[in-house]
Amino acid sequence: MKPAQRGISVADQKVKDAQEFDFAKIQEKWQTIWEELEPFSTSNPEDKRPHKYVLDMFPYPSGDLHMGHAEAYAFGDIVARYWRLQGFNVLHPIGWDSFGLPAENAAIERGVDPRKWTYDNIAQQKRSMKLYATSFDWDRVLHTSDPEYYKWNQWLFLKMYERGLAYRKDSWVNWCPKDQTVLANEQVEDGLCERCGTVAIKKKLTQWYFKITDYADRLLDDLNQLEGSWPAKVLTMQRNWIGRSNGADVYFRVEGQSEPITVFTTRPDTLFGATFMVVAPDSDLAAELVAGADSQTQEAFARYLTEVQKKTEIERQDAGREKTGVFLGRYAINPVNGEKVPIWSADYVLADYGHGAIMAVPAHDQRDLDFARKFGLPIRVVVDTTATVTGAITVVDESASVDFESINPETTGIALVGEGRMLNSGPLDGLSKQNAISKMIEILEKGGNGKAARAYRLRDWLISRQRYWGTPIPIIHGSNGELIPVPEDQLPIVLPESEGLDLTPRGTSPLGGAEAWVNVTNPIDGSPAKRDPDTMDTFVDSSWYFLRYLDPNDDTKAFDPAEVEKWAPVDQYVGGVEHAILHLLYARFITKALFDMGYLTFTEPFSALLNQGMVLSGGSKMSKRKGGVSFSDEVRTHGVDAIRLTLAFAGPPEDAINWEDVSPAASLKFLARAWRLSDDVTSKPGALWKDGDTSLRRHTHRFLADVPGLAESLKFNVVIARIMDLVNVTRKAIDTGPGGADPAVREAVEVVTMALSMFAPYTAEDMWQKLGYEPTVALASWRKADPTLLIEESVVCVVQVDGKLRERIEVSPLAGADALEKTALELPGVIRAVGDRKIARVIVKAPRLVNVVTE
RNA sequence: GCCCCCGUAGCCCAACCGGCAGAGGCAGACGACUUAAAAUCGUCACAGUGAGGGUUCAAAUCCCUCCGGGGGCACCA
């Protein structure tokens, strides 16, 4: 609190303000009333209103809410309140994504029980949300860390396991040395653990995976359905992440071995230019091949493999780095020309993409060229990129004869990756790239040497975590290593108490140390067995939570088909762009899997998505720590409504907000100004609007007609601008127009109040009451615009000569084109501007514009 | 390196299917009220749309090139 500049006058002022618009008092008053009324409950089965499902991404309960939450929840709440005004029964639930590392780390650092830490934070956030006037249905709250919730996580796991979508494999995984747990591919950003920023390393471990790659095509293709309803950016990111490439698989026989090697290539047209082969050093294939080589080669390979495995993901991904590799002493046979090509192993080939092996075409691939030049391997050009080819075999342009030596990859070091005419390629000679690809696939398929194929960047979703605070995996390991799913009727497998457990990250799950918990009997034969000690990635929890809200208290099933039919999919989803891939991809995947299992009738969970922009202060994310303003401070000084209004008014919702650019004080001032209008309405409810001032009514009804379109296209900033405009016009009508007793003034103020209730619920409730209505304005009905009031009395018609503005005339909105043209041509300004030039034509867009075009 | 989005008053932002560049706000100037100030009410000013070219009767809007900002992908065959 700032010290009073001039003691007495400031104190006086405070008293005066308090009598006028005291937001704190209004907040307190309405919170109590809302608690009693529960206006946002959706549990009445008799409710006949149509449905909407508006969902905010649920928060992780670390500490109190911050400005980022405030922004997202403001937008979700505006949408929910908008649809309620439009007569919909709106499901707008909230819950907590309450499993996860921070709770566990707090436990380790401060000795707090993760449960207590989590649920205390939830209680705090819940209080803040209620103060923040979010219109959530508080009867549907869920916490993913409740056994009542994670029981169904375990159920989901079992369903995935039944369908072969959950499986274990021994593989190289991303490992965070700090958190001492594995990470999914999606959780490694630029080689760093996305949670703590530690450099991730690779470990070979047996882990549980969800087979998301089975859904790669559908996850990619169904994005087309979301075009226009999801941010283009998110669609692009998901497409990139899935990374589908079309090409071919080619089978290479290996000398002295019966099993052929399969390689994936996007350029089967260049097969005649393949002069060596490369396999990933950390692949099984490399190990098999080198096993058949001499001991010197084996030693060299072993040394190389060790070296490669020491590298972090960051080092490996450095594209500029020098190529390394070893010859494996083995040869493969190129199936189209019978040539013997040496097999090398190098770490620029990845074990888990395609088949972990490539055909190297150094003349036409930069990576292969770099490798060939370093190790002296042959380079053969098979595409003449100086020639242009169109159609099947027609060479169109050979005149652009560039001197071949000037572009020879062997000397320039630049691979010829462009289009061109095939050469040195037998049956492909003369063809264009596209035709050569098709032809080669045909040849391969005919000869049984390959087939058209696709490869994906997407990898299966690693879901095991070696941590305590998560959902136990419902699998029992028998003494012979057999995997036994826990019978459904034994769910949930409840997490043991953390007391007495060592939660310190040690690379294996702390649950392994809970003797009484982990040791069980084999449900099949009663022999001693152990529970799987790992817990699930918390993204499993959030991959289906939107279904659990439909009936969060049902302990007989995860979700009810009838409720799903009624509410789902989500009509509007709101959340941060940081989940563009992770959560949104997983939720889409699980939705499709549940669809295939027959539990759902739709394949996309979120029909529309809004990513709110970030709230920045001083160029970085707003946080109290950095000495900036905090959410709770801002709420204290300006009130909830002013903060909500400020966030929504700042600009388009997806744009970032610089706190320095906005003014919560101005928002508060505006709210007081709007609020004062309701004091100046002196007519009673039920006043006959049609007797009111027509000019003001035109404004009001134009507003009623325009706002729904603006709100539905999420242009909240424009909606607020329009409310401000209507407030200004109404103020003028009261002070210098027809006066506060005019029914049109009451009509306008009622409309302002309704519209304002989306953004500033407290202020709007208070206005509604002052207007003589019972609570709550949140359940009021949006009025339909009267079409007769939407027609202006007169409009301004612009008259141009050759595109230049010459005259403006007032005309009837119904004026016809011919009449307008005639009038326009007689205007002095037009006659002057035309002069003695001839009129070529006259363009009329009645009733707004006439353009006289001269020759 | 490749791909996507965005550049409009001093600032944040509007502008429908191409049709008068301005809805709203911040900051500013002036006026009314006041002994004065705050609050309130009112009035006003400010850009030709990042630059250049093209299409069109007409371009902030469509196309091309460049500049500036933001984001995504990048040893994925």
Side-chain angles (χ1 to χ4, degrees):
Chain A
M1 191 67 72
K2 264 199 283 187
Q5 304 272 315
R6 283 166 294 248
I8 293 165
S9 57
V10 170
D12 286 351
Q13 187 48 46
K14 269 197 192 145
V15 172
K16 203 172 166 235
D17 280 352
Q19 283 164 352
E20 294 207 6
F21 185 68
D22 183 345
F23 67 79
K25 220 163 115 190
I26 294 174
Q27 284 176 194
E28 207 177 311
K29 171 179 168 187
W30 287 100
Q31 268 209 282
T32 318
I33 296 173
W34 290 336
E35 282 290 335
E36 277 168 33
L37 284 179
E38 291 192 5
F40 311 117
S41 167
T42 38
S43 46
N44 177 11
E46 302 300 308
D47 201 319
K48 290 286 185 287
R49 290 176 294 172
H51 305 105
K52 285 277 179 191
Y53 189 177
V54 178
L55 184 62
D56 292 289
M57 289 183 188
F58 62 171
Y60 182 81
S62 52
D64 202 352
L65 299 184
H66 51 72
M67 203 51 100
H69 290 118
E71 191 195 14
Y73 296 140
F75 293 143
D77 206 51
I78 291 162
V79 174
R81 287 175 182 272
Y82 168 75
W83 286 115
R84 270 189 218 105
L85 288 175
Q86 299 297 330
F88 286 80
N89 187 10
V90 179
L91 178 60
H92 188 38
I94 191 71
W96 277 269
D97 190 12
S98 49
F99 265 144
L101 272 185
E104 206 167 333
N105 289 340
I108 295 159
E109 283 158 29
R110 282 171 278 155
V112 208
D113 177 30
R115 265 185 199 77
K116 183 170 163 36
W117 183 90
T118 301
Y119 288 92
D120 284 354
N121 280 340
I122 288 174
Q124 174 58 44
Q125 291 197 348
K126 190 170 175 177
R127 274 195 299 278
S128 298
M129 283 174 180
K130 288 197 168 183
L131 171 65
Y132 197 53
T134 45
S135 62
F136 295 129
D137 181 346
W138 291 105
D139 297 333
R140 291 178 184 258
V141 175
L142 64 79
H143 315 109
T144 58
S145 54
D146 290 347
E148 295 75 23
Y149 183 87
Y150 68 72
K151 171 183 178 176
W152 302 109
N153 253 357
Q154 293 169 342
W155 171 86
L156 175 68
F157 180 95
L158 293 176
K159 292 293 150 193
M160 298 292 279
Y161 186 71
E162 272 170 32
R163 289 185 73 88
L165 290 172
Y167 69 98
R168 260 161 91 80
K169 78 173 168 191
D170 181 42
S171 178
W172 290 97
V173 298
N174 300 299
W175 177 267
C176 174
K178 177 151 180 283
D179 291 338
Q180 289 280 306
T181 185
V182 294
L183 300 166
N185 241 12
E186 289 78 8
Q187 287 165 317
V188 180
E189 280 174 14
D190 300 326
L192 307 176
C193 167
E194 58 110 29
R195 199 165 272 290
C196 69
T198 306
V199 176
I201 59 166
K202 290 280 184 182
K203 263 201 177 190
K204 191 144 195 192
L205 287 175
T206 302
Q207 299 282 299
W208 285 101
Y209 291 81
F210 277 174
K211 214 168 184 180
I212 193 170
T213 52
D214 269 11
Y215 286 75
D217 280 322
R218 286 160 70 189
L219 286 167
L220 184 67
D221 296 336
D222 288 357
L223 288 172
N224 295 337
Q225 297 171 28
L226 303 173
E227 204 76 54
S229 311
W230 277 37
K233 191 173 139 179
V234 175
L235 297 177
T236 310
M237 284 170 76
Q238 292 222 353
R239 288 186 180 116
N240 284 339
W241 189 262
I242 296 166
R244 180 165 69 196
S245 301
N246 291 308
D249 280 348
V250 185
Y251 316 136
F252 282 71
R253 276 192 301 115
V254 180
E255 276 197 339
Q257 185 176 311
S258 57
E259 266 307 287
I261 293 176
T262 305
V263 304
F264 173 76
T265 177
T266 53
R267 294 294 303 275
D269 55 317
T270 62
L271 184 48
F272 281 90
T275 51
F276 58 102
M277 182 182 273
V278 187
V279 298
D282 49 346
S283 63
D284 295 343
L285 185 57
E288 280 164 33
L289 287 168
V290 84
D294 59 63
S295 61
Q296 213 179 335
T297 306
Q298 291 193 15
E299 274 164 39
F301 175 75
R303 268 198 307 276
Y304 182 61
L305 183 60
T306 318
E307 209 176 290
V308 165
Q309 282 164 355
K310 275 196 302 213
K311 288 198 179 97
T312 65
E313 198 62 4
I314 300 181
E315 288 166 330
R316 200 197 58 75
Q317 280 179 2
D318 177 11
R321 105 175 201 264
E322 184 96 348
K323 291 280 181 290
T324 57
V326 287
F327 176 49
L328 293 183
R330 307 287 302 267
Y331 293 88
I333 309 296
N334 186 330
V336 289
N337 59 10
E339 261 178 35
K340 221 169 101 168
V341 295
I343 305 175
W344 285 66
S345 184
D347 68 352
Y348 78 92
V349 172
L350 308 177
D352 54 357
Y353 182 78
H355 305 283
I358 62 157
M359 62 178 218
V361 185
H364 306 289
D365 182 285
Q366 192 60 49
R367 297 155 298 184
D368 297 344
L369 180 63
D370 295 344
F371 193 83
R373 276 161 50 98
K374 173 149 181 200
F375 293 103
L377 294 158
I379 296 161
R380 185 190 304 143
V381 173
V382 292
V383 184
D384 177 3
T385 53
T386 65
T388 313
V389 182
T390 47
I393 46 164
T394 323
V395 179
V396 168
D397 179 15
E398 275 183 294
S399 59
S401 60
V402 184
D403 170 26
F404 175 74
E405 266 321 300
S406 70
I407 58 159
N408 184 1
E410 189 148 14
T411 48
T412 62
I414 299 161
L416 302 171
V417 295
E419 307 251 341
R421 182 179 51 146
M422 302 308 300
L423 69 148
N424 300 326
S425 294
L428 305 185
D429 280 355
L431 294 181
S432 68
K433 176 178 165 182
Q434 259 327 305
N435 289 319
I437 288 175
S438 316
K439 180 85 189 243
M440 179 54 86
I441 289 173
E442 205 179 290
I443 292 169
L444 287 170
E445 286 179 349
K446 212 171 277 172
N449 292 317
K451 61 175 202 297
R454 283 166 166 180
Y456 304 86
R457 217 188 80 105
L458 182 71
R459 309 292 149 85
D460 275 341
W461 175 14
L462 199 175
I463 60 146
S464 326
R465 293 293 179 276
Q466 289 70 47
R467 298 303 301 251
Y468 167 74
W469 193 232
T471 305
I473 291 175
I475 291 288
I476 290 168
H477 298 262
S479 45
N480 300 319
E482 70 273 34
L483 301 173
I484 307 144
V486 174
E488 247 181 70
D489 59 13
Q490 288 176 27
L491 300 182
I493 300 156
V494 178
L495 266 186
E497 292 297 324
S498 65
E499 202 175 33
L501 283 183
D502 180 10
L503 300 184
T504 322
R506 287 160 307 159
T508 55
S509 172
L511 291 180
E515 300 287 339
W517 183 87
V518 80
N519 291 306
V520 290
T521 50
N522 186 326
I524 294 165
D525 61 14
S527 64
K530 278 185 187 295
R531 289 198 187 285
D532 195 303
D534 287 355
T535 51
M536 292 182 213
D537 181 5
T538 56
F539 280 106
V540 175
D541 313 3
S542 53
S543 67
W544 68 282
Y545 77 114
F546 57 95
L547 296 169
R548 187 64 188 163
Y549 281 130
L550 305 179
D551 194 358
N553 302 314
D554 185 347
D555 60 1
T556 64
K557 47 194 170 315
F559 47 85
D560 186 276
E563 294 294 314
V564 170
E565 198 52 42
K566 184 168 154 185
W567 296 105
V570 173
D571 293 290
Q572 180 68 59
Y573 199 29
V574 181
V577 72
E578 64 272 18
H579 289 117
I581 294 170
L582 290 153
H583 160 58
L584 291 169
L585 191 68
Y586 297 145
R588 294 182 61 230
F589 160 52
I590 294 297
T591 299
K592 289 173 200 301
L594 288 170
F595 171 86
D596 289 352
M597 294 175 201
Y599 290 112
L600 301 177
T601 54
F602 53 88
T603 55
E604 284 294 333
F606 313 120
S607 305
L609 174 67
L610 169 63
N611 286 143
Q612 80 279 5
M614 281 195 292
V615 185
L616 306 172
S617 182
S620 55
K621 241 183 187 165
M622 254 176 107
S623 93
K624 203 172 194 167
R625 251 194 328 223
K626 288 171 191 146
V629 273
S630 76
F631 172 58
S632 54
D633 291 345
E634 293 290 299
V635 163
R636 209 170 306 121
T637 41
H638 304 288
V640 166
D641 283 357
I643 298 309
R644 288 174 55 123
L645 191 76
T646 303
L647 290 166
F649 184 54
E654 61 276 11
D655 286 7
I657 299 170
N658 289 311
W659 202 245
E660 291 75 24
D661 293 339
V662 297
S663 172
S667 300
L668 181 57
K669 238 165 79 176
F670 165 73
L671 288 172
R673 180 174 157 86
W675 183 85
R676 255 180 268 116
L677 287 179
S678 54
D679 281 331
D680 293 343
V681 173
T682 54
S683 60
K684 291 274 164 283
L688 290 175
W689 297 326
K690 68 175 171 52
D691 299 338
D693 178 72
T694 312
S695 164
L696 178 57
R697 295 203 71 208
R698 283 215 166 89
H699 267 281
T700 305
H701 283 259
R702 175 49 58 196
F703 178 93
L704 286 170
D706 291 350
V707 164
L710 292 168
E712 283 165 43
S713 47
L714 311 179
K715 295 181 175 180
F716 309 131
N717 55 327
V718 184
V719 173
I720 294 170
R722 295 295 301 272
I723 299 176
M724 289 173 167
D725 176 55
L726 188 55
V727 165
N728 291 345
V729 170
T730 310
R731 180 82 260 160
K732 216 170 282 180
I734 293 169
D735 290 349
T736 57
D742 191 289
V745 168
R746 165 168 281 277
E747 184 185 34
V749 178
E750 288 185 6
V751 169
V752 164
T753 305
M754 264 187 246
L756 207 54
S757 76
M758 295 186 262
F759 307 96
Y762 289 112
T763 308
E765 289 291 7
D766 222 52
M767 291 173 70
W768 197 240
Q769 192 180 46
K770 288 202 286 173
L771 287 166
Y773 293 107
E774 290 295 311
T776 158
V777 67
L779 298 178
S781 296
W782 190 258
R783 307 226 173 101
K784 280 217 164 58
D786 178 348
T788 61
L789 288 168
L790 296 180
I791 302 163
E792 302 292 328
E793 257 172 328
S794 67
V795 296
V796 172
C797 178
V798 181
V799 184
Q800 302 174 330
V801 175
D802 294 323
K804 280 203 190 80
L805 179 68
R806 295 298 178 189
E807 293 266 5
R808 292 161 202 264
I809 46 175
E810 283 230 343
V811 299
S812 151
L814 305 169
D818 292 346
L820 278 179
E821 177 174 342
K822 192 161 171 286
T823 317
L825 290 174
E826 286 163 3
L827 294 167
V830 173
I831 292 165
R832 206 180 317 123
V834 172
D836 23 325
R837 279 170 300 166
K838 268 179 86 174
I839 291 167
R841 60 175 163 142
V842 181
I843 287 147
V844 184
K845 294 280 166 185
R848 297 278 172 192
L849 174 132
V850 177
N851 189 11
V852 180
V853 184
T854 64
E855 278 181 345

